[in-house]
Each structure stands twice: as C-alpha cells, then as structure tokens.
Amino acid sequence: MPLLCGSATILHSPLDLRWRFVYLSGLRVSSFSQGFRFLDKMVKICCIGAGYVGGPTMAVIAFKCPSVEVAVVDISEPRIRAWNSDQLPIYEPGLEEVVKQCRGRNLFFSSAVEKHVSEADIIFVSVNTPTKTRGLGAGKAADLTYWESAARMIADVSKSDKIVVEKSTVPVKTAEAIEKILIHNSKGISFQILSNPEFLAEGTAIQDLLSPDRVLIGGRETPGGSKAVKALKDVYAQWVPKDRIITTNLWSAELSKLAANAFLAQRISSVNAMSALCEATGANVSEVSHAVGKDTRIGPKFLNSSVGFGGSCFQKDILNLVYICECNGLIEVANYWKQVIKVNDYQKSRFVNRVVSSMFNTVSGKKIAILGFAFKKDTGDTRETPAIDVCKGLLGDKAELSIYDPQVTKDQIERDLSMSKFGWDHPVHLQLTSPAAGEQIWDVAVDAYEATKNAHGLCILTEWDEFRKLDYQKIFNNMQKPAFVFDGRNIVDDAKLREIGFIVYSIGKPLDPWLKDMPAVA
C-alpha cells in the first residue's frame, strides 16, 4: 500500500492482478490482489499503545500526512482522556502544538481498541515489553505478554489484510513468533510483519520525528514482505528524505535497536568510569571528554559524565541483549554488555557514598534537597531515572529529602520510590510496591528555593536549564552550614560556588579539599 504524492484520481483495471492505484488528497494508495487487498479509500493507521512512543509518533504521522487517518488506542481510559484533554499525559517540547493541530481532524485517541484495529490497514504495536520479573529469564529477558496479547487480538478482530508493525523494542526473532500467532489464527487473512524501531531521544522526540537521522524498516525478503516494506516506506517518504529511510531484513532491524541503545549506554558508562579515575588522579573529566571527543573517529556526543544513565530503554535493552547472547551460548559477549550496567550502578552508588561520607559519614535526620527527578531535562519521564536509586540510598540512611522537579508530579515520585525493581513498565494495577515506603521522610517542593531552605546539602540529579540560573547566593544564605552541593550533572560553576562558601562535589572533577580527606567508599 505505497503512499506517494499525487493530485488526481486514477483507477487501473480491477483485472490487473498486480497493482491498482488511487490518488487521494495528495497520497497514492496501492493494493495488490495477490497479497494485500486494501480498499480504495483513505488509508487508516492504528497504533496500539498511547505511551511515550505511540502518542508522539502517530501525532507526527498525522501532522505530516493529512490524508491518512490515524487512531491511537489504549485500554487505559484515563490515559485516553488525558490525550483528548488540554493536559497531555506526557511532556515533550512541541508535542502539544502538533496534537492540537491534528486532533479531531485526522488524529484520534480512543479506547475502542478492537474497532480501530479491525478498520486499520497498517497497525503499529507500541505496547510495553518490560523485563521479566519471574520465571525463565527473570531480570534479563523481555516479557512479551502484552505483545502476544495484542497479536491474538489483531488476528481475532481482523476482517481484511493487514500490515503489522513492531514499534516496541523487542528481542531478535520476535517477529517470527508474532507471525506464527497471526498465521495460525488468520482465517484466510494475509498479514505482513514489519520491524520499525524508534530512535527517539526524550526531550527532542518531536524534532527527532520531524527530522530523523534515519528511519529503519525491516521486513521479510519475500514479494509480500517487500511490498509491505514499500508501503510503510512511502508513508515516511511524505517528509523524510528517501536516503534516510533504510530497509533491511526483519532480524537486522530488530537487533539494530538493541545495538544502538547498547552502544549509547556504553559510551556513558565509559566516560563515567573515567570520571572515577579522574577524581582519584586529579584530572578533570570535562577536559578529558573534550580532548577525546575532538577525535573525529569518536566524536563528542554522549561523553558527558553524570550520576548515571536512565530512561526506559538503555538498561532494559542491554539486559535483553545479555539474555539473547546467553541463550546463544555467547557468554563472553553477554559478560561484556553486563559491565555497562554494572558501571552505571556503580556510578549511582558512588554518588550516594560521596554524599554520605562528605557529611560526616551520616545523613540521618539531615534535610537534603533533590533538584531534578526526571532522567533527563525537557521530559517528565522518570523510568529508570538515577534519582530513584540516589533517593532510595539516601532514605536508607534516614535522610529527609525535599524533591523538586518542574515536570514530575508528587504522585509519580511516590510511585517511583515505592515501586519494586522493573515494576515501572507494567500496568499500574500490577506494579508491586514496597511496604517500607511509608516510613521514609520526603516531600515535594514548589521550587528549588523551597527545597533547599534549611537543607544541609543539595543534589543536582537532572540537568534542567533553570538549575544553571538559580541564585546560589540566596540558596547558600538559607542553608545549614557547612552547605554542600553535589552536582550529578556537572552543570554549575564549581569555582563560583566555592567563592560563595559551598563545599562542592562535581563528578569527575578535582576534589574540594574538604572531600579529599573523606573518600567515597563503595
């Protein structure tokens, strides 16, 4: 079902068994009776899953392809209501403008899942693929329960040929399993499975969608698979240059997403490992990163040392990669990728240890301000944010926390601090909580100044721009003395803060004289 630019309406003979073309309001819809048999009508796309990937991706497709009808469906009524309201369920720069321009025109959010799936020509599946918490592969393997459920539902309600697109990050060979479910329940309907992984960076997701580095589409190397690939390729070709649309086989597309996230996480863990060595030797990790990044073979991106990486994908995808390697007998390869996560965990625990050891080896009963809870700036996403482990570590030492983040709600923070590991990627009613959460002392402040008032120390855990512009003299005046700043994102001018009177710890930078006598013991 290729979609190309056009302006007229042209019908080829219905006896032509290869192609029929219809030009509809700027889009050409093709079908072939030996394979897919799409009706000559407006193309309909349905996305199952109205989360961080499904919502923004479909909004941009609707925005760029006004003659394509896009429905985003989800079983969560509250989430759908939020998408149809003035307060969208996720924060992403530019998202609100795109949604408001298209919603009700050719972009719809609905909980009528089966209806829209039945009517769709192309179905994107963007459901959660959390890490398994029990059974075979627990702690590493992806849980494909929601994917399998979606596939069975698609097969059950479909009355016409479909292209089913993997949008969730899935293990290699998932398409093969989904294909078997669809084929064995097809009732004579033809399904083609494609892999179209997302490469979005939260905080810049809309810009990434409008001007992507690449769009990757993987399909079966068969006539039907090739035509399905072309159909999806021509959707993206409405605004993406064709040289940026890469086509591969299914397995290459599935593995490419895991590999891309593993490579990015590896760079972060590499520079964070160097940050520990810099602190031990008196080197400055920012200077080292700058020198290394000038090598054109390496480049400067993802070389900023921090308290650790977070987000929904990096750790989950590496654990998935580790499990796949182990299942294929590649133990040395699995161990290599495990180290990326181990270094990330080490960086977070090292940061907590530095806070505690610097403050006379105890934070019990001391107020500590937490500036930033999202895993990065310009998003409200807290999945796997380093702030969770840092806060839990400090609360475990009986610190009293005052948390401020411009985009994260108190309810979300409460869920994150009470949730079991890997619980965040499951539906709310399946998320296990810790009974000890209620015994911990923390609150949420309305701004950074309230959070830091009477605090003994402050930890910067998200690189929000507003934290660079704070009146640190005012903050210092209202804090307990000695006043500590623990910069987990290296965004403040540590020299200026020392002039004010702060004792400053910046990751990977030469240690404050106060801190040299109080090493962080892991």
Side-chain angles (χ1 to χ4, degrees), residues 254-518:
E254 289 179 334
L255 183 56
S256 292
K257 176 58 192 297
L258 296 180
N261 280 340
F263 276 44
L264 293 173
Q266 176 198 50
R267 284 175 71 96
I268 297 173
S269 282
S270 293
V271 73
N272 282 342
M274 293 304 301
S275 75
L277 184 58
C278 285
E279 291 173 26
T281 60
N284 186 322
V285 72
S286 297
E287 295 174 350
V288 173
S289 296
H290 179 70
V292 171
K294 283 296 183 181
D295 189 326
T296 56
R297 297 168 300 174
I298 299 173
K301 293 185 177 181
F302 279 75
L303 289 182
N304 294 321
S305 185
S306 69
V307 68
F309 60 73
S312 64
C313 293
F314 282 2
Q315 176 164 300
K316 182 177 73 171
D317 289 356
I318 293 174
L319 289 171
N320 195 352
L321 193 62
V322 166
Y323 183 68
I324 293 169
C325 291
E326 290 175 344
C327 289
N328 284 278
L330 304 173
I331 304 304
E332 291 78 9
V333 179
N335 290 337
Y336 173 81
W337 289 112
K338 280 181 185 177
Q339 285 302 126
V340 174
I341 293 176
K342 285 184 177 180
V343 169
N344 195 54
D345 290 339
Y346 167 71
Q347 188 77 341
K348 290 181 286 188
S349 64
R350 194 169 74 85
F351 186 86
V352 172
N353 291 337
R354 179 68 73 184
V355 174
V356 176
S357 65
S358 300
M359 301 176 72
F360 313 104
N361 215 37
T362 180
V363 291
S364 179
K366 296 176 182 176
K367 178 180 178 181
I368 298 179
I370 302 296
L371 301 187
F373 200 84
F375 85 92
K376 63 185 288 189
K377 71 173 185 177
D378 293 334
T379 180
D381 193 354
T382 62
R383 293 176 292 179
E384 294 290 353
T385 175
I388 294 175
D389 287 333
V390 171
C391 288
K392 285 184 174 180
L394 295 173
L395 289 169
D397 210 87
K398 299 185 178 180
E400 299 177 5
L401 305 185
S402 184
I403 304 170
Y404 168 67
D405 188 288
Q407 288 296 332
V408 182
T409 66
K410 181 177 181 179
D411 287 346
Q412 184 61 54
I413 293 172
E414 186 170 16
R415 281 195 296 270
D416 288 333
L417 293 181
S418 64
M419 199 178 300
S420 300
K421 192 170 181 63
F422 303 126
W424 55 267
D425 212 10
H426 292 271
V428 173
H429 65 284
L430 295 178
Q431 293 173 353
L432 300 178
T433 58
S434 168
E439 303 169 7
Q440 300 167 348
I441 301 176
W442 63 271
D443 60 25
V444 172
V446 297
D447 60 27
Y449 299 105
E450 179 184 302
T452 54
K453 187 175 181 179
N454 293 322
H456 292 260
L458 69 89
C459 300
I460 300 174
L461 302 184
T462 309
E463 70 280 21
W464 287 102
D465 291 338
E466 68 178 81
F467 298 156
R468 302 176 189 268
K469 306 170 186 176
L470 293 173
D471 184 344
Y472 282 97
Q473 181 66 64
K474 176 181 176 181
I475 288 174
F476 178 79
N477 293 340
N478 290 323
M479 288 180 66
Q480 301 287 334
K481 309 298 184 297
F484 296 85
V485 171
F486 301 94
D487 185 2
R489 295 291 179 170
N490 285 345
I491 64 171
V492 298
D493 186 329
D494 47 334
K496 286 186 177 180
L497 264 58
R498 288 190 180 106
E499 288 179 8
I500 292 173
F502 285 105
I503 296 167
V504 183
Y505 167 68
S506 294
I507 285 181
K509 295 187 177 181
L511 294 176
D512 190 295
W514 175 289
L515 303 176
K516 287 182 179 178
D517 299 327
M518 299 181 178

Side-chain angles (χ1 to χ4, degrees), residues 155-168:
D156 187 51
V157 305
S158 292
K159 297 179 176 61
S160 60
D161 298 343
K162 312 286 186 190
I163 296 175
V164 179
V165 184
E166 292 177 337
K167 202 63 182 172
S168 311

Side-chain angles (χ1 to χ4, degrees), residues 102-136:
C102 302
R103 191 173 57 194
R105 186 190 69 189
N106 68 322
L107 175 64
F108 305 92
F109 297 94
S110 172
S111 57
V113 179
E114 295 185 359
K115 172 183 180 295
H116 289 286
V117 167
S118 175
E119 295 174 353
D121 304 311
I122 302 176
I123 302 168
F124 287 81
V125 182
S126 185
V127 297
N128 289 346
T129 53
T131 302
K132 291 185 70 175
T133 57
R134 64 191 68 181
L136 184 64

Side-chain angles (χ1 to χ4, degrees), residues 76-92:
S76 172
E77 294 276 5
R79 174 168 288 185
I80 292 299
R81 282 197 298 269
W83 278 111
N84 284 317
S85 73
D86 291 331
Q87 187 67 44
L88 301 185
I90 63 175
Y91 171 74
E92 192 68 41

Side-chain angles (χ1 to χ4, degrees), residues 51-100:
Y52 279 91
V53 174
T57 301
M58 294 303 111
V60 170
I61 288 178
F63 178 67
K64 286 294 186 178
C65 302
S67 294
V68 173
E69 182 180 306
V70 180
V72 184
V73 298
D74 201 293
I75 60 173
S76 172
E77 294 276 5
R79 174 168 288 185
I80 292 299
R81 282 197 298 269
W83 278 111
N84 284 317
S85 73
D86 291 331
Q87 187 67 44
L88 301 185
I90 63 175
Y91 171 74
E92 192 68 41
L95 175 61
E96 184 177 357
E97 293 80 2
V98 171
V99 169
K100 287 185 176 180

